[in-house]
Structure formats: C-alpha cells, structure tokens
Amino acid sequence: MKAFSLLSICVVIVLANSHIDAFTRNDFPEDFLFGAGTSAYQWEGAVDEDGRTPSVWDGFSPFDNMDNGDIACDGYHKYKKDVKLMAEMGLEAFRFSISWSRLIPNGRGPINPKGLQFYKNLIKELLTHGIEPHLTLYHYDLPQALEDEYGGWINHKIIEDFTAFADVCFREFGDDVKLWTTINEANIFAIGAYSEGILPPGHCSTSSSRYVKCSTGNSSTEPYIVGHNILLAHASASNLYRLKYKSKQRGSIGLCIYTYGLFPYTNSKEDEVATQRAKDFYFGWLLKPLVFGDYPDVMKRVVGTRLPVFSEEESEQVRGSSDFIGVIHYTTLYVTESKPSPSILPSNQDFSTDMGVETISIGNTVPWGFEGVLEYLKQSFNNPPIYILENGFATKHDSTLQDTARVEYIQSYIGAMLNAIRNGSDTRGYFYWSMIDLYELLAGYRVSFGLYYVNFSDDGLKRSPKLSASWYTGFLNGTVDVSPLDITQQQSHFSGSSSL
C-alpha cells in the first residue's frame, strides 16, 4: 500500500462547482509527458543476485505476516518484456529507481559492474522504444552497510555518501537521462521511518507509534533531523549536477514530496487555521526551504529547538536547488483542530502531535482535491514546474481484469490536472502508479495499483493487461475521448466544506 495509508493526517480541497470538460491527449501541451512508474525494491527482485547487497528493506517488516520483495515482479530478468508492454501501451516516459546497494554494494566505493550494466541496459531498452527514462535516485532503500556503520539518514555523513552515489549515476547514466528525482516522498519517508516506525529503518519512540513497536529512535527529534539532512543531501547532489553535468547533459533535477489534499472540515476559523498549519507541516516543511530558504514560521514556533537551523550558507545551497517539484498524490482529507491531550509531555511529542490536527477521510476518488493541491502549490510556492510522479488507485490483488473503478479514477484525475494547467499550473508530466502490479511496500501482494495484472502464483509471473491499460493506451494514442465529468457530486454529502 502506498504511503497515504501510513498516516491519517490530512485535509480536503473543495472547489465549488468544479467540472471536467471533455478532453483528449491533444488538449495537453505537446511536450507534456505521460508515463507510469515502479521502484527498484518493488519491481526488480533478484535481491541477492549479481553483487547486490542488502538494503534496509531486506528483512524489514513492520507488520506481521508480511511478504517481501525478494522476487517481486522479477523486473531484473524481465525488463525487456516489461519495456515491450510499455511501448505497446504507448507510454511516453517511465519512472524507476536505482537500487543503491545493487550499483554500489558497500554504499560507497567500488561500483558493481553487473548492477551498472543492468541499468544501462534498461535505459537503452527504454530509449530504443522511444520511452523517456525518469530516474529516482533514492526510494527508501538505503544500503544496510551505511545504516549499520553510522545510522544512515540521522547522521550528517549521509550527505557526502548520497552525493557520491548521485555523482556515479549522473556520470554513468546522465547522457541518456534528462529527468532526475533525488529522494522519493521525502516528507513521508522522514515521518514514516523516523516518527511512526513503519518504513525502514523503523525508528520511533515506543510511546509514540500507533502502528508498531520500535526498539530504537526518538519521534520528537529524528524526523526533523532526517528532513534537514534530506534537504542538504538533495541540495548537494543538485548543485553537483549543475556544476559538473548540466551544461552537457541538459537535464533537470528535483525533490519529491507526498501531497495530501487538505481542506477545513468546517468554516470555523479554528479549522481554517488548523488546515493551514497542516499544509505548512506537510508541504512547507520541505518546499519552503527549497523555494524561500527556511522552514515555515509555525514549525519554528511549535517545534522549537527540536527543529534544526539552517546556516546562512546552507540556506543559500538549499534555496533554488530544485528545477521542479515531484508531486505524489492519492487522497484528500478534511482537517479539523485537534484537542491536545494533557498527558502529552514534551518528550513524547512527534510529528503528528506537533501538527495538532485531526483528519477525516472522504473516499478514494476525490479529483477536486488533486486540483486543489496543484492550485495551492502554484499560489504558495511561486508556481514551480511540477511532475506528478505517482497517482493511482488501489484494489484487492486478484485476477479480475475489468478494473472499471481504476479507469474512472485515472480519467477524473487527469481531467482535474488539466483544469489546473488551464488555470496556470506549470505541471509538465503525469506518471501513473503503477505500470504493473508490484510488491507494495506496506501491503505486500494483497493490494495492487497496476495497469497490468501479475500472477504472483505463476512461476513465470505472467503479465496480463487490465481494462485500465487498454484505456490508457487509447487515451495516449488519441482513440479515447473523455466525456465531460462531474467531479463535485461527492461534495454534496459534506456540508461542512469550504472553498480555497
């Protein structure tokens, strides 16, 4: 299950009288990219083959009876077959991630030639079929060697090692890769791995996590330390790319965050303030330093000395270090002010209690919430270039190929994105999650998002196209025209909503 299920802290966007007109692929800018995505641990398998060493995901299981990604979709061996499926579907771009421990088994030092060759072969196969590679450097899978040596992302040393890893990738793949994401879902990674303990390395204060029992960690400080190191590592890699590679390779590099649609539950001043605070914690935490050079004032006030401070030099390095913002979006929620518990001591504070809101889910398909996210980013962060790096619909994993609900989801969200673009959002690409059924990081093989069904019980892991794959194919090749859609009908059930 994707990260939106990690935390129940979010808000909802109500765009009054919002409507999606009929549209086709041709209504988008000519250079707009439509693609789909996967990540290394979820797709590749082959965890102990050809020199790959363990990452923090290997052996990590926050919940009982979890599966693992040892085999996953076996993309390591079946990449040519999968690229052929992408080409048949008409994908214009494919987002994937590098397994750091496959490329550099010790986390630093010698490159693994077989790992290097795999990614070169994959990129070549994509380009041969006219598919643009979008490469993510880090998707939650730190080499275990670095975690064991110095604690990974909680240690400032990670900045140097991440930059060296990025340097190898830029040098080896950069002539063929024009779109780079440094760190996936940076905000959710810091929260999930270091406040809630449900992502590796599974740190949290024992009294803080509502999901798992952690043996180590400090939920009141570590998420903010990790967030700070993420920003500095991203800026270091980005600045290296600009100094050493960009003039020749002419690519773009950005940081990726998870975005909830966040909207006040009522028209009360308290809920409006709570909603803005939630946006500052979720969006502003990482985006305000990237755009303006410092953390939001409300975070500095609430978190206090637990929030790291940028030096003047660090602020300059971080500000402007993203050519684009990678946006991941699945769900929209209402936000209301939470009532603080008198039992919460300062030592028991975590990201959730610091934010001080409660949230209410409003269903799986809320395209107007997605449109609202793009509008908020446009208004609040100087209308940055945006790539939608994940957006998708989860269903129980079974052999049913008639995934009508997924088709309805995709077309309504693409339509909402087009509305935002027509309203001035500088959104430049859309990557559906996921290209095929994967090992989902928090749900194993029980749920799936894929356009292609994978039979995980079959030795050959047979792939079969779902109705959604056929729909996406038709949309991309121009044979599917999307009819006008009413995306406001769900709102009538929620009288306590307010517009932006």
Side-chain angles (χ1 to χ4, degrees):
M1 192 176 299
K2 288 308 295 171
F4 65 85
S5 294
L6 304 184
L7 313 162
S8 58
I9 306 171
C10 309
V11 207
V12 180
I13 306 171
V14 180
L15 301 176
N17 301 318
S18 187
H19 185 81
I20 295 174
D21 295 327
F23 65 89
T24 70
R25 169 66 181 90
N26 292 333
D27 288 303
F28 288 83
E30 186 176 348
D31 58 353
F32 191 94
L33 284 177
F34 277 101
T38 63
S39 81
Y41 186 71
Q42 297 174 265
W43 175 63
E44 288 179 8
V47 295
D48 57 0
E49 292 186 41
D50 292 343
R52 182 190 181 274
T53 60
S55 80
V56 291
W57 262 111
D58 295 290
F60 177 82
S61 179
F63 308 113
D64 293 336
N65 302 317
M66 277 287 289
D67 301 298
N68 59 56
D70 288 0
I71 299 174
C73 309
D74 198 24
Y76 186 74
H77 298 109
K78 300 181 185 302
Y79 72 93
K80 287 187 177 181
K81 177 180 293 187
D82 286 346
V83 172
K84 185 171 183 289
L85 295 178
M86 297 177 211
E88 290 173 354
M89 195 166 23
L91 289 193
E92 300 159 3
F94 177 59
R95 179 188 179 227
F96 64 99
S97 72
I98 296 289
S99 169
W100 187 342
S101 63
R102 191 184 297 284
L103 185 64
I104 307 175
N106 294 322
R108 72 168 74 87
I111 298 171
N112 173 21
K114 291 185 177 179
L116 176 64
Q117 193 59 50
F118 167 70
Y119 292 113
K120 283 184 174 289
N121 290 344
L122 171 59
I123 291 168
K124 179 181 178 182
E125 194 73 13
L126 290 167
L127 293 174
T128 297
H129 287 82
I131 300 169
E132 183 83 14
H134 186 132
L135 199 153
T136 297
L137 293 172
Y138 185 79
H139 198 115
Y140 299 170
D141 53 353
L142 184 74
Q144 187 65 47
L146 299 184
E147 182 67 27
D148 293 342
E149 180 184 338
Y150 57 73
W153 286 97
I154 62 173
N155 195 308
H156 204 72
K157 292 180 181 178
I158 191 66
I159 298 166
E160 181 179 353
D161 284 336
F162 179 78
T163 305
F165 163 56
D167 194 11
V168 170
C169 294
F170 297 149
R171 183 181 73 237
E172 298 293 342
F173 312 129
D175 288 343
D176 295 317
V177 174
K178 305 306 176 191
L179 290 168
W180 298 89
T181 296
T182 51
I183 297 156
N184 180 69
E185 288 180 336
N187 50 350
I188 291 298
F189 167 58
I191 300 164
Y194 295 92
S195 183
E196 302 292 357
I198 54 177
L199 295 173
H203 284 209
C204 67
S205 301
T206 302
S207 59
S208 295
S209 180
R210 292 166 291 283
Y211 305 99
V212 296
K213 292 190 179 300
C214 300
S215 60
T216 188
N218 186 332
S219 298
S220 70
T221 59
E222 287 189 1
Y224 302 112
I225 293 169
V226 169
H228 200 72
N229 286 338
I230 284 172
L231 285 167
L232 295 177
H234 159 81
S236 177
S238 176
N239 291 331
L240 170 73
Y241 182 78
R242 291 172 175 180
L243 287 170
K244 192 173 178 181
Y245 297 102
K246 188 176 179 71
S247 62
K248 177 176 180 255
Q249 297 178 354
R250 301 188 180 280
S252 299
I253 189 166
L255 183 71
C256 169
I257 69 164
Y258 184 94
T259 62
Y260 292 103
L262 301 173
F263 294 84
Y265 183 56
T266 72
N267 289 324
S268 70
K269 181 66 175 177
E270 290 79 10
D271 283 0
E272 290 182 5
V273 170
T275 300
Q276 184 56 52
R277 187 167 65 250
K279 290 177 180 178
D280 284 333
F281 268 75
Y282 272 122
F283 297 79
W285 177 21
L286 299 181
L287 293 190
K288 195 171 181 200
L290 286 178
V291 177
F292 302 109
D294 200 5
Y295 293 117
D297 289 341
V298 67
M299 291 192 73
K300 292 194 283 188
R301 184 174 68 253
V302 171
V303 182
T305 58
R306 291 178 290 124
L307 186 67
V309 176
F310 290 108
S311 69
E312 187 173 336
E313 181 183 5
E314 288 172 342
S315 178
E316 287 298 317
Q317 290 172 345
V318 170
R319 183 170 58 237
S321 61
S322 269
D323 296 322
F324 64 86
I325 301 301
V327 167
I328 291 178
H329 176 84
Y330 291 88
T331 193
T332 292
L333 301 170
Y334 286 116
V335 177
T336 187
E337 182 77 25
S338 69
K339 303 299 184 281
S341 169
S343 64
I344 295 180
L345 302 173
S347 60
N348 291 336
Q349 291 289 111
D350 61 15
F351 188 88
S352 176
T353 55
D354 285 339
M355 186 162 48
V357 304
E358 296 177 3
T359 60
I360 303 164
S361 176
I362 56 169
N364 293 327
T365 304
V366 191
W368 42 270
F370 180 38
E371 185 178 342
V373 166
L374 297 178
E375 180 66 20
Y376 180 75
L377 294 175
K378 181 188 77 174
Q379 293 182 4
S380 301
F381 300 102
N382 294 343
N383 197 16
I386 286 172
Y387 285 90
I388 309 304
L389 296 183
E390 290 184 28
N391 173 242
F393 185 84
T395 58
K396 180 181 178 182
H397 183 264
D398 56 35
S399 58
T400 302
L401 302 180
Q402 297 299 310
D403 56 343
T404 305
R406 181 172 287 113
V407 171
E408 293 172 350
Y409 179 98
I410 299 172
Q411 66 180 15
S412 65
Y413 276 69
I414 290 177
M417 176 177 63
L418 180 58
N419 278 356
I421 292 170
R422 286 170 167 166
N423 199 36
S425 172
D426 190 10
T427 302
R428 301 182 180 186
Y430 175 90
F431 292 77
Y432 176 78
W433 184 272
S434 54
M435 184 262 159
I436 64 174
D437 292 346
L438 303 170
Y439 169 74
E440 286 298 334
L441 296 180
L442 295 179
Y445 301 102
R446 296 190 297 276
V447 303
S448 62
F449 291 77
L451 299 169
Y452 275 81
Y453 168 75
V454 177
N455 185 348
F456 292 108
S457 300
D458 173 54
D459 288 342
L461 297 170
K462 182 181 178 182
R463 282 87 156 121
S464 303
K466 302 178 188 178
L467 181 64
S468 54
S470 300
W471 183 90
Y472 206 31
T473 300
F475 172 71
L476 293 176
N477 66 26
T479 60
V480 167
D481 295 352
V482 180
S483 301
L485 299 170
D486 181 3
I487 62 173
T488 61
Q489 56 187 0
Q490 300 147 348
Q491 297 176 27
S492 62
H493 301 294
F494 299 96
S495 58
S497 61
S498 64
S499 59
L500 281 174

